[in-house]
Amino acid sequence: MLKQFMRLWQVFLVPATLAGIVVLQAMLPGLQASTLVVQQRITNDNRQLRYTFDSAAGQLNWQFVLANEAIRHNSTLLRPWMPANINEQLGATLQQQAYQAGPFVVEPGPAGDWQNFQLTGPDNDQRQQMRNTLLDLTKQFQQQKLAANGYQQVILADNTAQIRVDHLNVIQQSIQDVSPIAESAIDQLGATSQRQLIQLLLTWVQQIPADPVEHAEYGQSYRPPLRVLTEHQADSASKAVLLAAILRSCLPQLKQALLYTPGHTLLAIAIAPEPGDLTVTLQDTQYLPLDPAAQQQPLLGQVAQQHQLYIVNQYFAYRQF
């Protein structure tokens, strides 16, 4: 009987027992006696999640059910990005193009990098024309591979390019998957205003344990929204996308933006500021920044000092949606 019971309830960290139910407790830094409790009941068809968490409105109880099919779909929104395999495929594509065009030889650049290929051929003009063709092919190849695997190239605030998860695509593809969360939040959290609803969801996401590794390039520490909940752990980008997807589901007209500061991802929302709120203007629209990954749980319109400095000095990349 006990073994059967343990198969139904999933535990992520050191479990505690409450009324015969296996739960997870995560102590929140800086909040005395604050505990996030999550219970997950797993069946063949779905997964029921029950949360108890502290907020400015007091202790809240919240539950929702996720279909296993939705969890599987959400977990396949991106594939592992493998630079070595992509590089080999690019090399084969370039060699085939050069072979079909005539007496040209294309070889990888330093360290076997096919993006910096070297081309030899009999005629300077023809060789330059062929080089331009291969450069265009290289760009198209990378864009196609990025899109097919759920990634994009982001130009960061320091003008360096980095391959990251296409977060906006994940948000769009997750709207239906997170709809039970959005609907239950409206029904159960007791919010009396749009701002309060957003604040309660922010507080809940902030209390999900942080991933000890924050590595944005190639999505190495990234989890799609429902994986954040099933694994009960997330880096800053994963938390920002989770909250953004839920907000897009329950408040579809709300303008949002992802802010990429060095080593961190923030979310910004276009709602009216209150006195003392930090704001940032993007494309003539005023936003309130918020940090879903902040363990200190700052409120809407508040972020840690280091991120505030980046925002005030416009030292970030961003994507609006």
Side-chain angles (χ1 to χ4, degrees):
M1 183 67 180
L2 178 60
K3 291 182 179 179
Q4 182 180 4
F5 178 81
M6 290 299 291
R7 283 198 297 270
L8 293 175
W9 293 91
Q10 185 167 349
V11 184
F12 298 93
L13 299 177
V14 179
T17 302
L18 178 63
I21 297 175
V22 178
V23 301
L24 172 67
Q25 298 182 344
M27 298 305 297
L28 304 178
L31 294 182
Q32 186 175 6
S34 296
T35 306
L36 174 66
V37 180
V38 56
Q39 306 167 30
Q40 295 200 32
R41 186 176 188 275
I42 305 168
T43 70
N44 292 332
D45 299 321
N46 58 51
R47 185 181 297 232
Q48 182 182 30
L49 292 95
R50 299 176 182 175
Y51 288 92
T52 300
F53 66 100
D54 291 330
S55 72
Q59 189 176 81
L60 296 176
N61 297 304
W62 181 25
Q63 63 179 348
F64 48 83
V65 177
L66 300 174
N68 289 337
E69 181 59 34
I71 295 172
R72 285 191 292 269
H73 168 262
N74 207 246
S75 297
T76 61
L77 294 180
L78 69 157
R79 303 172 184 173
W81 183 260
M82 300 180 179
N85 292 349
I86 300 297
N87 185 60
E88 290 180 5
Q89 294 173 23
L90 174 59
T93 301
L94 295 178
Q95 287 179 321
Q96 182 180 16
Q97 181 68 27
Y99 175 79
Q100 293 175 347
F104 296 101
V105 176
V106 60
E107 297 177 321
D113 184 4
W114 281 101
Q115 290 195 66
N116 295 313
F117 63 84
Q118 297 179 356
L119 180 67
T120 57
D123 181 84
N124 287 336
D125 291 339
Q126 290 183 351
R127 187 167 65 247
Q128 185 58 47
Q129 184 177 2
M130 188 64 202
R131 175 175 293 278
N132 292 337
T133 298
L134 295 180
L135 286 172
D136 290 340
L137 181 60
T138 298
K139 183 177 180 180
Q140 294 172 8
F141 178 89
Q142 184 178 45
Q143 290 175 343
Q144 291 171 357
K145 287 296 182 181
L146 287 172
N149 289 277
Y151 296 83
Q152 64 168 351
Q153 189 175 65
V154 177
I155 305 301
L156 302 178
D158 59 1
N159 289 322
T160 59
Q162 191 176 79
I163 293 175
R164 290 191 172 193
V165 173
D166 186 348
H167 296 133
L168 298 197
N169 179 64
V170 173
I171 291 170
Q172 183 62 35
Q173 296 296 322
S174 297
I175 292 175
Q176 183 61 38
D177 294 338
V178 303
S179 60
I181 307 173
E183 293 168 4
S184 65
I186 294 172
D187 292 340
Q188 299 176 33
L189 294 185
T192 58
S193 67
Q194 176 179 273
R195 184 180 178 111
Q196 187 182 26
L197 176 62
I198 297 171
Q199 179 61 66
L200 291 174
L201 288 170
L202 171 64
T203 300
W204 167 66
V205 173
Q206 287 170 334
Q207 295 182 25
I208 296 173
D211 191 318
V213 177
E214 179 89 23
H215 198 310
E217 191 167 25
Y218 306 132
Q220 293 183 28
S221 60
Y222 180 77
R223 292 175 174 84
L226 297 192
R227 271 189 58 199
V228 170
L229 302 183
T230 59
E231 297 180 9
H232 200 62
Q233 191 176 62
D235 65 4
S236 66
S238 305
K239 288 192 173 190
V241 170
L242 168 63
L243 180 55
I246 297 172
L247 292 178
R248 179 49 51 95
S249 182
C250 62
L251 301 169
Q253 304 304 316
L254 178 67
K255 293 182 179 180
Q256 303 183 63
L258 292 171
L259 309 181
Y260 300 109
T261 63
H264 203 76
T265 302
L266 303 169
L267 184 63
I269 56 174
I271 65 172
E274 293 186 350
D277 283 345
L278 175 67
T279 63
V280 59
T281 300
L282 307 172
Q283 303 292 322
D284 299 323
T285 299
Q286 189 178 60
Y287 294 83
L288 268 64
L290 49 93
D291 188 356
Q295 293 182 337
Q296 296 77 15
Q297 299 178 50
L299 303 176
L300 290 177
Q302 300 177 22
V303 297
Q305 184 177 8
Q306 67 186 85
H307 303 306
Q308 184 174 339
L309 290 173
Y310 290 137
I311 291 172
V312 170
N313 290 284
Q314 295 284 307
Y315 194 77
F316 56 84
Y318 68 89
R319 295 191 73 190
Q320 296 170 282
F321 55 100

